[in-house]
């Protein structure tokens, strides 16, 4: 099953943060603990580390975009998962899929 990566609460009481830069691309194989993005709030810029290993299936937001804490920002896919499986996982997490954006 695909793993949803959500916007973390970088600092206490933060309700949203901005993705400053992706450090990975779709198709990259990553390991747990690997830095995958730079996240910026009013008070800090920190690297977001992957909590799981997998293949980057989708990057859901563009650099410079602010989203609420807990909102889906990326998806890690497991071997054999296709776009439809990833889209279903994103939809179940309340995010917008690439398919939905393109329609």
């Amino acid at each position: 099953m695909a793993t949803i990566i959500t916007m973390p609460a970088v600092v206490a009481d933060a309700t949203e943060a901005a993705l400053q830069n992706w450090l990975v691309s779709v198709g990259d194989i990553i390991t747990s603990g690997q830095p995958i993005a730079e996240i910026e709030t009013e008070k800090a810029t920190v690297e977001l580390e992957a909590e799981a290993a997998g293949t980057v299936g989708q990057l859901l937001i563009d650099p410079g975009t602010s989203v609420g804490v807990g909102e889906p920002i990326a998806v890690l896919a497991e071997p054999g998962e296709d776009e439809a499986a990833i889209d279903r996982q994103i939809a179940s997490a309340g995010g917008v899929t690439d398919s939905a954006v393109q329609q």
Side-chain angles (χ1 to χ4, degrees), residues 63-82:
T65 304
S66 291
V67 298
V69 169
E71 293 292 317
I73 61 171
V75 181
L76 294 182
E78 291 184 4
E81 286 188 305
D82 61 10

Side-chain angles (χ1 to χ4, degrees), residues 4-89:
I4 303 294
I5 299 171
T6 59
M7 180 61 77
V10 178
V11 294
D13 300 328
T15 58
E16 70 176 25
L19 179 95
Q20 187 176 40
N21 187 39
W22 284 111
L23 303 176
V24 296
S25 299
V26 171
D28 287 356
I29 297 171
I30 63 170
T31 59
S32 181
Q34 177 179 341
I36 59 170
E38 294 173 333
I39 306 295
E40 180 180 13
T41 68
E42 293 178 9
K43 299 178 183 180
T45 298
V46 298
E47 286 186 341
L48 172 62
E49 295 181 354
E51 294 182 8
T55 301
V56 179
Q58 289 185 12
L59 301 175
L60 303 175
I61 63 171
D62 293 323
T65 304
S66 291
V67 298
V69 169
E71 293 292 317
I73 61 171
V75 181
L76 294 182
E78 291 184 4
E81 286 188 305
D82 61 10
E83 281 297 311
I86 293 171
D87 286 348
R88 284 191 299 274
Q89 187 69 13

